[in-house]
Amino acid sequence: MKVSLLPTLNDGNLDVNQVNSQRQLAISLSAIAEPLDRNVPLNLCLILDHSGSMSGRPLETVKKAANQIVDRLSPSDRLSVVVFDHRAKVLVPNQIITDRDRIKQQINRLAADGGTAIDEGLRLGIEELAKGKKETISQAFLLTDGENEHGDNTRCLKFAQLAASYNLTLNTLGFGDNWNQDILEKIADGGSGTLSYIQQPEQAVAEFSRLFDRMQAVGLTNAYLLFSLSPKVRLAELKPVAQVSPDTIELPVQQEADGKFAVRLGDLMTDTVRVVLANIYLGQFAQGTHTIATVQVRYDDPALKRTGCFSEGIPVEVNVQPAYQPAANPDVQSHILALAKYRQTQLAEAKLQQGDRAGAATLLQTAAKTALQMGDVGAATVLQTSATRLQMGEELTEGDRKKTRIVSKTILQDT
């Protein structure tokens, strides 16, 4: 596997007379498969809520979705299943797929009962996943339909950080309308995974399948984007880096011993381009072409059993002009709008929590207009509908709020 890495500024020209300038740097990344690459085994853990509220069709469709995943796994792949109500237990210990029927029998015997303790399920899931992580692509699918009423949300976030340190990816699935969107989003973001919203039980099979397709497409793991900044160049102090495609995620930045700035990306897929947006400030430069930064990726290649690999460093250049002519890049502008849409929606949610319905409606309208600017008609419709309901004095249902959050950060999966 190799890394495809393409940095692009929103405007590659700079005014020689400008003392301070701001630019947005979009970096597109993906894994590139090579002819001799071997298939890397998958190591999947299903962490499933079977509390009393999952009774009936919800749990039955989740069992069906889980069974279809079992059928899709290869003989060299590994699977574990952890289930939780107000307690958690290992239903299927981490193992190579040798007896699919027995695994499915264990899943089918699952019954709904009790409360919800997400953190205990997450703890056991990480333990099982860690047992099979050597030379595999390791991910968890955590599904719940409720609040963490018998658990501790702070523990959930600590476990997400622990999973990232083990090079494990956590995907979360909210089932129905009564789960805590803040916690599931933070678990997925912290675990470099994705958040999914299953509105209706029949969508569970398609959503599990979609996440499994993503997992199969992973080519490189434990990836970090590295920035080397030239003198007179710095990252913005507040929220300097975010992923904007395929999901919008605020990314923490750490400075390494050699002065480079590192951003953890987790897995890189062969069929999906990740786009990261960095907000940078530049001082004054003399006329001519200048390298303002170099970007590079550090990663593990499980196909070759190599860790700590580095891609080629790609320079980022600006053209400093005495007679400045803007050179706006429309693709980067679209990425800027995607991040704005997400942050505007977050501010709207904060206003709503403070009881400022008018302020929330205004911000949702702004987010809807931003979505339209970037051509995301589906998101614009959802955001404007929520804004209109608030303006008419109506309450947003839990479903409205969750759909609003999901469309702010990605494209809603309709099935």
Side-chain angles (χ1 to χ4, degrees):
M1 289 283 174
K2 290 185 178 180
V3 175
S4 171
L5 180 61
L6 177 64
T8 309
L9 288 165
N10 64 320
D11 182 351
N13 292 341
L14 209 62
D15 189 343
V16 72
N17 300 308
Q18 193 74 29
V19 176
N20 293 292
S21 303
Q22 183 182 15
R23 290 293 184 270
Q24 306 292 328
L25 173 63
I27 304 107
S28 301
L29 312 99
S30 64
I32 303 176
E34 296 185 290
L36 297 179
D37 284 337
R38 67 179 180 88
N39 290 327
V40 180
L42 305 181
N43 175 35
L44 173 63
C45 181
L46 302 178
I47 308 172
L48 306 176
D49 184 345
H50 72 117
S51 58
S53 57
M54 290 288 292
S55 179
R57 198 156 64 103
L59 186 57
E60 291 308 310
T61 55
V62 168
K63 289 180 187 179
K64 181 180 178 181
N67 284 333
Q68 288 197 8
I69 293 296
V70 173
D71 287 333
R72 291 186 63 183
L73 289 165
S74 299
S76 59
D77 293 336
R78 306 187 70 90
L79 177 71
S80 52
V81 182
V82 168
V83 296
F84 64 93
D85 46 26
H86 53 279
R87 296 179 297 269
K89 67 177 181 180
V90 178
L91 187 69
V92 178
N94 188 288
Q95 59 190 260
I96 292 175
I97 303 298
T98 55
D99 191 342
R100 299 177 198 273
D101 289 339
R102 184 170 179 274
I103 292 173
K104 288 192 284 187
Q105 286 171 3
Q106 290 173 287
I107 292 171
N108 289 334
R109 284 199 293 265
L110 201 57
D113 190 29
T116 306
I118 297 172
D119 50 340
E120 279 302 295
L122 193 54
R123 179 182 67 83
L124 286 182
I126 291 171
E127 288 180 3
E128 289 303 308
L129 204 55
K131 293 175 183 177
K133 77 184 187 74
K134 185 178 180 181
E135 296 175 359
T136 63
I137 292 165
S138 301
Q139 296 197 9
F141 298 175
L142 166 65
L143 178 143
T144 183
D145 75 335
E147 295 272 356
N148 193 22
E149 57 188 359
H150 291 278
D152 183 341
N153 288 334
T154 302
R155 287 186 80 211
C156 287
L157 303 184
K158 289 181 179 178
F159 287 140
Q161 294 171 353
L162 179 65
S165 71
Y166 284 171
N167 193 21
L168 309 174
T169 298
L170 304 179
N171 302 286
T172 57
L173 301 99
F175 196 107
D177 291 334
N178 297 316
W179 45 278
N180 187 319
Q181 60 191 32
D182 291 322
I183 293 303
L184 288 198
E185 181 175 356
K186 288 177 180 176
I187 291 172
D189 290 356
S192 298
T194 184
L195 167 66
S196 301
Y197 175 27
I198 301 175
Q199 290 178 277
Q200 303 296 330
E202 58 270 16
Q203 294 175 312
V205 173
E207 199 59 29
F208 268 58
S209 179
R210 185 181 73 86
L211 287 179
F212 189 75
D213 288 342
R214 284 175 61 117
M215 186 176 179
Q216 285 186 312
V218 171
L220 302 171
T221 63
N222 201 29
Y224 284 80
L225 178 61
L226 306 177
F227 295 88
S228 297
L229 301 180
S230 302
K232 301 182 182 180
V233 181
R234 63 180 175 86
L235 289 172
E237 293 181 6
L238 181 64
K239 296 182 178 180
V241 181
Q243 177 181 294
V244 291
S245 181
D247 310 283
T248 302
I249 303 170
E250 302 285 1
L251 297 175
V253 180
Q254 294 181 332
Q255 189 164 17
E256 303 198 322
D258 60 3
K260 293 179 182 177
F261 293 94
V263 178
R264 186 175 190 274
L265 302 174
D267 299 328
L268 293 182
M269 294 170 282
T270 57
D271 66 347
T272 303
V273 175
R274 302 271 293 276
V275 180
V276 173
L277 194 66
N279 187 11
I280 59 176
Y281 288 89
L282 302 89
Q284 190 170 20
F285 285 82
Q287 182 179 344
T289 301
H290 297 266
T291 297
I292 60 169
T294 301
V295 292
Q296 188 177 28
V297 177
R298 183 176 67 231
Y299 60 92
D300 295 345
D301 188 339
L304 298 178
K305 302 182 181 180
R306 292 178 181 172
T307 61
C309 306
F310 287 87
S311 72
E312 179 185 357
I314 307 296
V316 181
E317 297 181 337
V318 291
N319 180 28
V320 184
Q321 302 174 322
Y324 169 65
Q325 296 291 327
N329 184 292
D331 291 334
V332 180
Q333 182 60 29
S334 180
H335 298 318
I336 294 170
L337 291 172
L339 183 56
K341 177 187 69 168
Y342 176 67
R343 289 176 174 172
Q344 287 159 357
T345 306
Q346 282 197 316
L347 289 172
E349 290 178 355
K351 290 284 187 183
L352 199 55
Q353 290 172 359
Q354 296 164 5
D356 184 359
R357 298 166 62 90
T362 298
L363 282 164
L364 285 174
Q365 278 188 316
T366 302
K369 292 176 183 176
T370 302
L372 276 179
Q373 280 184 272
M374 57 184 291
D376 190 352
V377 178
T381 301
V382 171
L383 294 165
Q384 183 58 56
T385 299
S386 293
T388 301
R389 286 179 178 169
L390 289 176
Q391 289 170 332
M392 294 176 64
E394 298 177 12
E395 295 289 337
L396 294 185
T397 66
E398 285 299 319
D400 292 335
R401 291 180 183 232
K402 288 171 172 57
K403 200 166 185 178
T404 297
R405 172 73 67 87
I406 293 294
V407 300
S408 77
K409 66 183 283 131
T410 188
I411 297 174
L412 187 65
Q413 298 295 318
D414 289 325
T415 53

